[in-house]
Amino acid sequence: MNIIKFETIDSTNKYCKENNENLPSFSFVISKFQSEGKGRNNRVWTANSGENLLFSLIIKENNLLENFSFLSIGAACIVAEYLESLGVMNVEVKWPNDVYIDGKKVCGILLEGNVEKYIVIGIGINVNQKEFLGEYRVEPTSVCIELNRDISIDDFSINLFEKIERTLRDSNLKQKFIGYVNSHNYLYGKYVNVRGNIGKVTGISNNGYLLVDDIEIVSGEVTIL
Ligand code: BTN
């Protein structure tokens, strides 16, 4: 495991993409603050300085690059399972890759890269932030709010990084993730609209895609109706 730490950076995802040729697989790039944190669908990811875990991981193993859709949902499962191991209750995964606690968002994940060569998994977890000012599409929460105590970000991050590397190197990855999502699926039973496909979420397919009325939806923003 290779860990690179910054006090401040524009975006850890951007750093990994720009330096992809020089970074070994399973490099973790972490920063206390991001001036241009990127969210999904061209949104921004804002987080108070020093209070949260903001990092990106670069992956180059072929067997993982071939399973892009699994990496996306898989990263969310790893974070969710990790939060449960710390005693957080009511943790769920929202396809394709958010982690919710009691219906509030605690973690967002952004995958980028060039699947021929590398994938960057960017993860933002609200850890010690207690106040969220401004507009959010989904109400945010943090680990600290849920556990009612401050968390050591150093311990939290190193244990999570080890769990991520251990899990992603495990060959039973797919079945493990499908099982986990199907028992922690925030969208299960909800009526949704995904790019005009309207219906009830019936699960996650064996390919890691969302099932809306048992039809696989490969990608798209999910709106709950
Ligand atoms: C989302 O929109 O839910 C995804 C948010 C992903 C944010 C993380 S923070 C670390 C990494 N660097 C970025 O610029 N974005 C990701």
Side-chain angles (χ1 to χ4, degrees):
M1 182 185 297
N2 176 34
I3 301 179
I4 300 169
K5 292 185 179 180
F6 288 95
E7 288 290 313
T8 179
I9 197 169
D10 45 7
S11 152
T12 55
N13 264 35
K14 190 169 167 221
Y15 178 90
C16 285
K17 285 190 292 178
E18 286 174 355
N19 295 283
N20 76 81
E21 302 216 332
N22 305 322
L23 291 170
S25 195
F26 285 100
S27 293
F28 292 81
V29 177
I30 176 169
S31 184
K32 288 189 178 160
F33 179 71
Q34 294 184 129
S35 56
E36 289 170 39
K38 265 182 84 177
R40 296 182 63 221
N41 300 316
N42 290 323
R43 287 190 278 264
V44 290
W45 183 262
T46 51
N48 288 358
S49 180
E51 297 181 6
N52 300 300
L53 178 56
L54 309 167
F55 71 98
S56 302
L57 153 70
I58 188 161
I59 292 197
K60 298 184 172 176
E61 272 71 15
N62 277 332
N63 66 319
L64 292 172
L65 299 187
E66 283 159 8
N67 287 296
F68 187 87
S69 60
F70 273 97
L71 273 190
S72 163
I73 195 75
C77 290
I78 297 170
V79 173
E81 208 175 49
Y82 180 63
L83 296 181
E84 286 190 313
S85 76
L86 299 180
V88 182
M89 310 288 282
N90 302 325
V91 180
E92 289 180 304
V93 171
K94 179 180 177 246
W95 186 90
N97 52 22
D98 286 340
V99 181
Y100 280 30
I101 302 172
D102 259 335
K104 298 175 196 161
K105 182 160 165 170
V106 68
C107 164
I109 300 177
L110 174 67
L111 265 73
E112 297 187 281
N114 165 355
V115 287
E116 308 278 292
K117 283 164 66 187
Y118 70 92
I119 291 177
V120 174
I121 307 179
I123 303 187
I125 306 177
N126 302 328
V127 181
N128 283 329
Q129 192 165 328
K130 296 179 187 72
E131 270 194 336
F132 295 87
L133 304 173
E135 293 273 302
Y136 288 87
R137 287 173 67 248
V138 179
E139 191 183 343
T141 189
S142 67
V143 183
C144 156
I145 292 173
E146 299 300 327
L147 288 179
N148 211 11
R149 63 176 168 90
D150 278 330
I151 307 290
S152 152
I153 295 185
D154 281 347
D155 293 349
F156 183 92
S157 56
I158 192 70
N159 291 331
L160 177 61
F161 295 171
E162 279 169 3
K163 181 176 172 67
I164 290 173
E165 178 155 6
R166 203 171 49 240
T167 311
L168 293 183
R169 291 193 188 279
D170 179 348
S171 52
N172 255 332
L173 207 64
K174 281 192 181 180
Q175 278 325 311
K176 195 172 180 288
F177 291 158
I178 298 298
Y180 188 86
V181 187
N182 278 325
S183 60
H184 295 77
N185 187 349
Y186 171 76
L187 293 172
Y188 186 77
K190 293 193 166 69
Y191 280 91
V192 296
N193 181 349
V194 193
R195 289 193 310 185
N197 298 287
I198 294 176
K200 192 170 167 179
V201 172
T202 46
I204 300 289
S205 74
N206 284 332
N207 296 315
Y209 300 134
L210 189 68
L211 291 171
V212 175
D213 289 333
D214 292 329
I215 294 168
E216 274 190 327
I217 307 291
V218 174
S219 66
E221 178 141 35
V222 181
T223 307
I224 299 170
L225 301 174

